[in-house]
Amino acid sequence: MGKIIAMANQKGGVGKTTTTINLAASLATLEKKVLVVDADPQANASSGLGVDIKQAECTIYECIIDRADVREAIHDTEIDTLKVISSHINLVGAEIEMLNLKNRERILKEVLSPLKSEFDYILIDCSPSLGLITVNALTAADSVIIPVQAEYFALEGISKLLNTIKIIKSKLNPALEIEGFLLTMYDSRLRQANQIYDEVKRHFQELVFKTVIQRNVKLSEAPSYGLPTILYDADSTGAKNHMALAKELIEREK
């Protein structure tokens, strides 16, 4: 049975999509079957994995709103064992459309449940908000990875996210766990980055991944070619960091 992991933080620009794309590609390279679910209307995870979102006829939007067959929304990528369900700008309005639907917080869980046995990992890239789609993602997930940017306001807003997770655990998904806090955009030369790492570690202790994702220009270049960094430049720091993260995640399962 596969594991569903949501990538969530309502703060924008913390590296959720970058982490989703590159962790997924690293897990797939390690011979795991991986599905990326792009639940962000900006659809950056889809295009970053080479999906032409203008051509995609069936997306996560159709699966949620029209209950389209989820298998029709799955796209191949450059890596055989890595698939993606793309997003669409229409997802912006989906939250309003979902308000009248029955069990509206559990729709994504129902959509993804037939796929759980077919993949080792399903990674959901959430939008930078705590709206109904993110609530759906957290209700569908077994665990959540929280990317934290190694900058001054890093911990701002995390209490809001933790509170949302607590509510979802008590009302919708008692099995939801925090997989870990992941420090992103880390620059070891900056004293501030080290202070933030120490602070996150002090707050969350064992929940902080040992792997940190360093600032790396290849990580920001790769998506414009529709490739994960491991295919764009396997020797880059960004590719190596995400490979280390994938190995750490697999190790935790043992």
Side-chain angles (χ1 to χ4, degrees), residues 99 153 177 209:
L99 288 175
F153 293 114
E177 297 293 338
F209 282 103

Side-chain angles (χ1 to χ4, degrees), residues 82-151:
L82 174 58
K83 311 290 179 193
V84 57
I85 293 179
S86 68
S87 183
H88 194 278
I89 191 66
N90 288 351
L91 208 56
V92 169
E95 304 209 339
I96 306 293
E97 294 176 66
M98 289 165 79
L99 288 175
N100 298 323
L101 298 178
K102 206 168 143 231
N103 274 346
R104 58 179 183 234
E105 296 89 359
R106 294 188 170 87
I107 296 171
L108 190 57
K109 187 184 177 85
E110 288 167 22
V111 167
L112 296 179
S113 70
L115 301 175
K116 253 190 122 168
S117 57
E118 295 172 29
F119 292 93
D120 298 307
Y121 291 95
I122 297 176
L123 304 184
I124 308 175
D125 185 30
C126 299
S127 65
S129 79
L130 292 177
L132 192 49
I133 301 282
T134 300
V135 167
N136 261 266
L138 293 170
T139 304
D142 298 301
S143 66
V144 53
I145 290 177
I146 302 169
V148 178
Q149 194 178 353
E151 287 192 356

Side-chain angles (χ1 to χ4, degrees), residues 4-241:
I4 301 181
I5 303 175
M7 211 62 72
N9 189 334
Q10 78 275 19
K11 199 167 184 286
V14 297
K16 281 190 295 293
T17 302
T18 302
T19 304
T20 305
I21 290 171
N22 291 294
L23 174 57
S26 300
L27 287 166
T29 308
L30 294 167
E31 298 181 344
K32 300 290 181 189
K33 286 184 177 167
V34 187
L35 174 67
V36 168
V37 179
D38 192 348
D40 183 348
Q42 294 174 65
N44 291 339
S46 308
S47 53
L49 286 169
V51 176
D52 183 350
I53 44 180
K54 291 190 181 74
Q55 300 298 318
E57 285 176 19
C58 186
T59 68
I60 195 66
Y61 171 81
E62 282 76 19
C63 295
I64 289 172
I65 301 300
D66 306 328
R67 294 304 175 95
D69 180 356
V70 68
R71 284 183 179 79
E72 290 188 12
I74 297 175
H75 296 264
D76 293 330
T77 70
E78 295 279 336
I79 303 172
D80 284 347
T81 53
L82 174 58
K83 311 290 179 193
V84 57
I85 293 179
S86 68
S87 183
H88 194 278
I89 191 66
N90 288 351
L91 208 56
V92 169
E95 304 209 339
I96 306 293
E97 294 176 66
M98 289 165 79
L99 288 175
N100 298 323
L101 298 178
K102 206 168 143 231
N103 274 346
R104 58 179 183 234
E105 296 89 359
R106 294 188 170 87
I107 296 171
L108 190 57
K109 187 184 177 85
E110 288 167 22
V111 167
L112 296 179
S113 70
L115 301 175
K116 253 190 122 168
S117 57
E118 295 172 29
F119 292 93
D120 298 307
Y121 291 95
I122 297 176
L123 304 184
I124 308 175
D125 185 30
C126 299
S127 65
S129 79
L130 292 177
L132 192 49
I133 301 282
T134 300
V135 167
N136 261 266
L138 293 170
T139 304
D142 298 301
S143 66
V144 53
I145 290 177
I146 302 169
V148 178
Q149 194 178 353
E151 287 192 356
Y152 184 61
F153 293 114
L155 293 173
E156 204 177 70
I158 287 212
S159 57
K160 203 183 271 182
L161 174 62
L162 293 178
N163 199 36
T164 302
I165 290 170
K166 202 165 131 191
I167 293 166
I168 285 168
K169 260 181 91 97
S170 67
K171 301 228 181 347
L172 296 163
N173 183 5
L176 182 66
E177 297 293 338
I178 292 175
E179 190 70 50
F181 291 83
L182 174 69
L183 223 71
T184 61
M185 304 179 201
Y186 182 80
D187 187 340
S188 56
R189 295 167 304 179
L190 300 177
R191 201 172 78 212
Q192 188 188 46
N194 293 309
Q195 285 171 342
I196 284 155
Y197 181 76
D198 292 341
E199 193 179 342
V200 173
K201 196 85 178 132
R202 196 175 67 246
H203 271 278
F204 303 112
Q205 296 160 357
E206 296 310 307
L207 285 175
V208 183
F209 282 103
K210 292 186 183 74
T211 307
V212 295
I213 308 298
Q214 291 162 273
R215 275 198 183 277
N216 179 240
V217 72
K218 299 288 188 210
L219 280 178
S220 40
E221 285 175 5
S224 59
Y225 294 91
L227 292 171
T229 314
I230 199 161
L231 294 184
Y232 178 66
D233 184 349
D235 289 327
S236 65
T237 305
K240 287 175 180 168
N241 287 166

